[in-house]
Amino acid sequence: METASSSSAVPELAGASATLRRNRILSSKLYVDVPLSKVPLIYSTSYDIAFLGIEKLHPFDSSKWGRICKFLIKEGVLDWSRIVEPLEASKDDLLVVHSEAYLSSLKSSLTVSIIIEVPPVAILPNCLVQHKVLYPFRKQVGGSILAAKLAIERGWAINVGGGFHHCSAEKGGGFCAYADISLCIHFAFVRLNISRVMIIDLDAHQGNGHEIDFSDDRRVYILDIYNSGIYPFDLEARRYIDQKVELLVAGNNFNPELVVYNAGTDILDGDPLGRLKVSPEGVSIRDEKVFRFARERNVPLLMLTSGGYMKSSAQVIADSIINLSGKKLIDLDSPLRRK
């Protein structure tokens, strides 16, 4: 039998949890001030995973992030000195969304091996797994969180990594160990004083992680277009998608203050996991449409690169960014250089 004291304890616990989350966000060091000499494109060499060749046992190209930047620099549209390097997300940062129990579970190499889908990782010392796998992921989480701040300040931002949309507060999977999308949105609610965020998830896979995390949060509108015949087959999470097809309809139904765009390239023809047949030009057109959607509504947008399981993905992403620059939807020249 429920007593008056036990029923009143529930909202008290919820209130205490919300206060703790808010305090963690306010005390975080991830929202660094970025000088105008930098452009809102975020990357660190620490993003790239090189782990005694073991990383090659997964189809994901774990050097993709660095190769994107190298292609942009080779084409002369970007300079290393103008790239923003993020801080690593700390344990307190991660606890904004994740539980102590989930983070502790990552101290098991077996658990991490299941999440990243590379079985041999299970037999490795966890100190190596933390340094070689989870540290790069935590740097990318820091990049995703910072990208929201930069998007509000500059109108757009691109984290060359991130987009771990299969990870929720209590469960990782599909090469996603931390819920960077959920984290960046919770940080934005508190630090950027916004209350409406739209997630546009156009990766080939369903974004079941953020869908679970925001299942009962009407501040977040989710548009998710994915191949329903592939991983993760999460029927519960599908119930929390607000819009499955038309971008225009989503814009009319919800007036966002920030767009989080999960721009996976596993939609490419030939991708072994996405199993769709979109051309490289199609990816550029897709990205252009999303950026134009945000520009026409004067809504800040942050882009995450998410999935993509072919070596060609890095070049396709770089070409799409070059196209966005050419169409004046982003500006890869810093404001100081233009003066």
Side-chain angles (χ1 to χ4, degrees):
M1 180 178 178
E2 184 180 54
T3 65
S5 60
S6 64
S7 62
S8 64
V10 175
E12 287 179 7
L13 287 172
S17 177
T19 299
L20 182 57
R21 168 182 281 173
R22 179 178 177 83
N23 289 341
R24 282 182 169 132
I25 292 171
L26 291 175
S27 63
S28 173
K29 298 178 181 179
L30 293 177
Y31 266 24
V32 297
D33 290 326
V34 176
L36 289 176
S37 58
K38 305 278 189 178
V39 295
L41 188 141
I42 303 167
Y43 167 73
S44 167
T45 54
S46 298
Y47 281 16
D48 301 300
I49 299 173
F51 195 7
L52 306 174
I54 292 176
E55 72 279 358
K56 296 177 183 177
L57 297 177
H58 192 281
F60 188 85
D61 177 12
S62 59
S63 66
K64 175 180 79 172
W65 307 293
R67 292 172 57 239
I68 293 168
C69 292
K70 289 175 182 176
F71 284 133
L72 292 172
I73 291 165
K74 182 180 178 182
E75 292 297 321
V77 298
L78 185 66
D79 186 88
W80 276 115
S81 64
R82 290 187 283 136
I83 295 173
V84 177
E85 173 151 1
L87 298 175
E88 173 195 4
S90 69
K91 180 181 178 181
D92 263 2
D93 295 326
L94 299 171
L95 284 170
V96 167
V97 165
H98 295 294
S99 66
E100 287 270 8
Y102 176 73
L103 295 182
S104 293
S105 76
L106 300 181
K107 295 177 182 178
S108 160
S109 295
L110 174 60
T111 298
V112 176
S113 74
I114 294 169
I115 289 172
I116 66 171
E117 302 170 334
V118 182
V121 167
I123 64 173
L124 297 174
N126 191 255
C127 59
L128 275 178
V129 175
Q130 292 287 332
H131 180 64
K132 293 292 189 178
V133 179
L134 295 180
Y135 171 70
F137 285 163
R138 290 193 294 268
K139 284 284 279 190
Q140 293 187 46
V141 171
S144 295
I145 291 171
L146 179 59
K149 176 179 184 285
L150 281 175
I152 294 293
E153 292 175 350
R154 309 280 187 94
W156 66 275
I158 297 174
N159 182 16
V160 174
F164 304 131
H165 65 160
H166 296 308
C167 188
S168 63
E170 297 294 343
K171 185 179 181 182
F175 207 72
C176 302
Y178 301 113
D180 67 318
I181 293 176
S182 301
L183 282 159
C184 89
I185 291 173
H186 279 293
F187 269 71
F189 283 151
V190 173
R191 296 285 288 266
L192 303 178
N193 194 31
I194 62 176
S195 59
R196 297 184 307 279
V197 176
M198 177 182 289
I199 300 172
I200 299 176
D201 194 335
L202 303 187
D203 186 276
H205 298 83
Q206 178 194 356
N208 58 318
H210 57 72
E211 288 159 10
I212 291 293
D213 284 347
F214 294 112
S215 61
D216 59 352
D217 194 332
R218 304 322 298 166
R219 298 173 298 174
V220 180
Y221 188 101
I222 300 173
L223 184 153
D224 194 354
I225 302 175
Y226 58 91
N227 182 347
S228 62
I230 59 175
Y231 177 92
F233 306 107
D234 196 327
L235 299 179
E236 179 189 356
R238 289 180 193 179
R239 296 190 292 122
Y240 309 126
I241 300 170
D242 294 290
Q243 185 67 38
K244 297 180 181 178
V245 185
E246 295 184 28
L247 189 57
L248 181 59
V249 172
N252 292 336
N253 288 343
F254 189 80
N255 183 27
E257 296 170 289
L258 176 69
V259 169
V260 177
Y261 174 35
N262 201 50
T265 47
D266 48 4
I267 63 172
L268 283 167
D269 188 6
D271 188 284
L273 299 186
R275 301 185 202 167
L276 297 174
K277 294 185 178 294
V278 178
S279 68
E281 294 77 16
V283 170
S284 289
I285 293 169
R286 177 201 67 174
D287 294 347
E288 182 181 332
K289 284 182 179 293
V290 175
F291 272 78
R292 200 172 295 282
F293 165 84
R295 170 68 66 84
E296 290 173 351
R297 289 160 178 77
N298 198 30
V299 179
L301 178 149
L302 70 95
M303 171 177 159
L304 310 171
T305 58
S306 200
Y309 304 93
M310 297 194 299
K311 283 288 185 182
S312 60
S313 281
Q315 182 70 69
V316 171
I317 295 168
D319 288 344
S320 180
I321 292 172
I322 292 169
N323 177 64
L324 292 171
S325 178
K327 297 293 177 62
K328 307 300 182 185
L329 292 168
I330 64 173
D331 189 350
L332 291 174
D333 207 2
S334 72
L336 290 182
R337 285 169 61 95
R338 292 195 299 271
K339 291 182 179 179

